[in-house]
Amino acid sequence: YKNTRAFVLLNFVKEPPPWAPPGVYCGCVVHDFWFEIDPIEKYQNYLKVRVGQFLVPFGVRQQARTPTDLLAMRYSQTALAVFDDGASFRDIGVMAYGRIQKFGFLFKYWGYCVNGERMNVTHDSNERKAWGLRLVVKPKYKLLEKLIKKLFPKEKVDGVEFGLSSQSAGPRARPSYYSSYGPPQPDHTDRDRFCLDFKVNTSHFCAFFEYFQSVDSLIYEDPVGPAPVMWVWVEEKNRRTEGAYLEMAYWLMINKSIDPKKVPCPFLSKRRHFGLQVVGYWDYYNHGGNYHMEAATGSRHRPAVIYGLGVNWDIKWYVRLSAFVEKHDYGRYYGGKYMGIDDYGKWRLRVCLTWVAF
């Protein structure tokens, strides 16, 4: 229908978590299920309204439909920790968004109101809703273009973006089934999130940086003493979780025989190039809430850093082979629990083969 759109994305591959209760997963997982309309045709670029289950517009990497849409084939540690290992990247609600071109600047905005639960949770555990705003500014980049041309005469600046996201997620009760089927889950009494990001693209080079912060107040059960342990209720206010992610990539070879605009797949047609690309990234995550660790070390800082380097090779427009070498440096702390180890780290090799099937 004119000025309307609908989108459905189902996942038939994702395995349910080991503590998922019977009947929650029935062969496929609904990721996206939304309906969209341009309420005023004359101003359709300025205002669009979406209703249903959709990706919450917070940050940049969390809006990728799957990890394969990302250069490093992975979400950041902070995003996974704050958004329930990806289960809260999507939520049910309503969103308005659009773009405005003024004074040579392009402004993009998103405003939304959702349940503040996990995806596919059709009930709300409280009366408060989660709401948030995101603003992206694409400024004039003539000064940056002149600087890059002096350093790299053959490079051309394709785009520069600054992003700001803010979210008040409100309270959320623990899922009732977790008490029987999985690890203890907390009751959140408040959740506030903030994100700053920056992105620049040139002919062969791209860079992305994101700073992420979350402040939560929660109540949870905690084990005390030797076996048999006793479980006590702990109320923790203003637990601060923060992290940063830096990613840089360079095209070693661009396959000019593949025109992204002619690729018959909406997800892949948004890529800038196809060919051979080298990718490097730094993923910093500091989980600040652990009073056991504070008692043992005098500090609440628990940094976990991942360094990665790899390549993406587009064998065909519908087949990509990726390989990454990662160093996971967890310092003295691993898995969220103080272990008394002064240095803990490990190396990891990730190999990914992605393809499009019709």
Side-chain angles (χ1 to χ4, degrees):
Y1 187 72
K2 188 177 181 180
N3 299 330
T4 62
R5 290 162 295 279
F7 182 77
V8 178
L9 179 63
L10 305 177
N11 189 335
F12 294 92
V13 179
K14 184 178 179 64
E15 291 290 331
W19 57 82
V24 171
Y25 291 83
C26 304
C28 76
V29 179
V30 178
H31 278 197
D32 294 311
F33 195 106
W34 50 259
F35 173 81
E36 187 175 277
I37 186 171
D38 304 330
I40 307 174
E41 183 177 0
K42 183 179 179 180
Y43 302 104
Q44 58 182 329
N45 289 332
Y46 303 145
L47 177 63
K48 301 178 187 294
V49 178
R50 181 176 297 179
V51 179
Q53 178 168 285
F54 48 79
L55 283 162
V56 176
F58 185 92
V60 176
R61 301 179 65 80
Q62 296 80 251
Q63 296 188 61
R65 289 190 175 94
T66 67
T68 57
D69 290 342
L70 303 171
L71 297 182
M73 300 282 184
R74 63 187 304 277
Y75 297 109
S76 68
Q77 298 180 90
T78 313
L80 291 174
V82 173
F83 287 98
D84 305 299
D85 201 23
S88 299
F89 286 168
R90 294 168 168 86
D91 207 339
I92 298 174
V94 60
M95 172 175 67
Y97 70 99
R99 59 176 63 197
I100 303 172
Q101 187 93 33
K102 287 290 184 181
F103 313 112
F105 289 74
L106 176 62
F107 298 92
K108 300 179 182 179
Y109 75 90
W110 294 260
Y112 58 91
C113 179
V114 294
N115 286 334
E117 303 288 337
R118 296 172 174 87
M119 70 176 185
N120 295 327
V121 177
T122 56
H123 66 277
D124 200 342
S125 60
N126 57 79
E127 295 183 354
R128 281 182 57 184
K129 300 298 179 184
W131 61 271
L133 298 169
R134 174 164 172 78
L135 177 67
V136 172
V137 180
K138 296 185 70 173
K140 299 177 181 179
Y141 46 83
K142 290 184 178 180
L143 182 62
L144 179 62
E145 191 170 30
K146 290 180 180 179
L147 177 63
I148 290 179
K149 278 191 174 294
K150 286 184 179 180
L151 299 175
F152 308 99
K154 296 183 179 180
E155 287 296 300
K156 179 183 177 182
V157 179
D158 292 338
V160 178
E161 288 186 359
F162 295 91
L164 169 67
S165 302
S166 179
Q167 183 186 72
S168 176
R172 185 184 67 185
R174 72 179 71 188
S176 59
Y177 56 79
Y178 271 98
S179 60
S180 301
Y181 291 94
Q185 295 290 303
D187 287 319
H188 289 85
T189 57
D190 205 3
R191 296 170 295 164
D192 294 304
R193 289 141 186 188
F194 175 77
C195 179
L196 281 173
D197 54 84
F198 168 75
K199 181 168 60 175
V200 58
N201 290 320
T202 69
S203 305
H204 293 79
F205 173 79
C206 63
F208 169 76
F209 176 78
E210 181 178 66
Y211 171 76
F212 197 124
Q213 184 183 108
S214 176
V215 179
D216 297 348
S217 296
L218 58 162
I219 302 173
Y220 55 92
E221 290 181 281
D222 198 56
V224 176
V229 299
M230 294 180 58
W231 291 85
V232 298
W233 285 97
V234 176
E235 183 176 5
E236 189 174 345
K237 292 185 177 294
N238 301 324
R239 174 191 286 189
R240 182 172 173 176
T241 302
E242 62 182 347
Y245 185 88
L246 174 65
E247 182 179 84
M248 293 184 288
Y250 186 81
W251 288 96
L252 300 175
M253 185 271 292
I254 297 176
N255 189 343
K256 296 184 178 180
S257 64
I258 303 176
D259 184 359
K261 296 180 181 180
K262 296 182 180 180
V263 170
C265 178
F267 301 159
L268 301 183
S269 62
K270 295 180 180 179
R271 289 183 181 174
R272 297 173 59 244
H273 303 298
F274 288 81
L276 181 63
Q277 181 186 48
V278 59
V279 182
Y281 49 93
W282 169 79
D283 185 358
Y284 174 86
Y285 166 55
N286 179 28
H287 195 315
N290 190 324
Y291 70 90
H292 287 303
M293 186 184 69
E294 184 179 25
T297 67
S299 172
R300 280 196 170 213
H301 292 284
R302 192 169 78 229
V305 185
I306 297 177
Y307 308 89
L309 182 65
V311 294
N312 291 318
W313 176 33
D314 296 303
I315 303 173
K316 300 287 186 179
W317 70 261
Y318 51 86
V319 180
R320 169 174 280 192
L321 178 63
S322 305
F324 302 94
V325 177
E326 296 179 341
K327 171 64 184 304
H328 293 231
D329 183 5
Y330 294 109
R332 292 180 298 172
Y333 318 108
Y334 176 65
K337 184 178 180 181
Y338 177 65
M339 298 180 65
I341 301 175
D342 290 333
D343 186 21
Y344 186 92
K346 61 181 177 180
W347 290 88
R348 175 175 293 176
L349 174 65
R350 290 192 298 119
V351 180
C352 310
L353 181 64
T354 58
W355 67 92
V356 178
F358 296 94

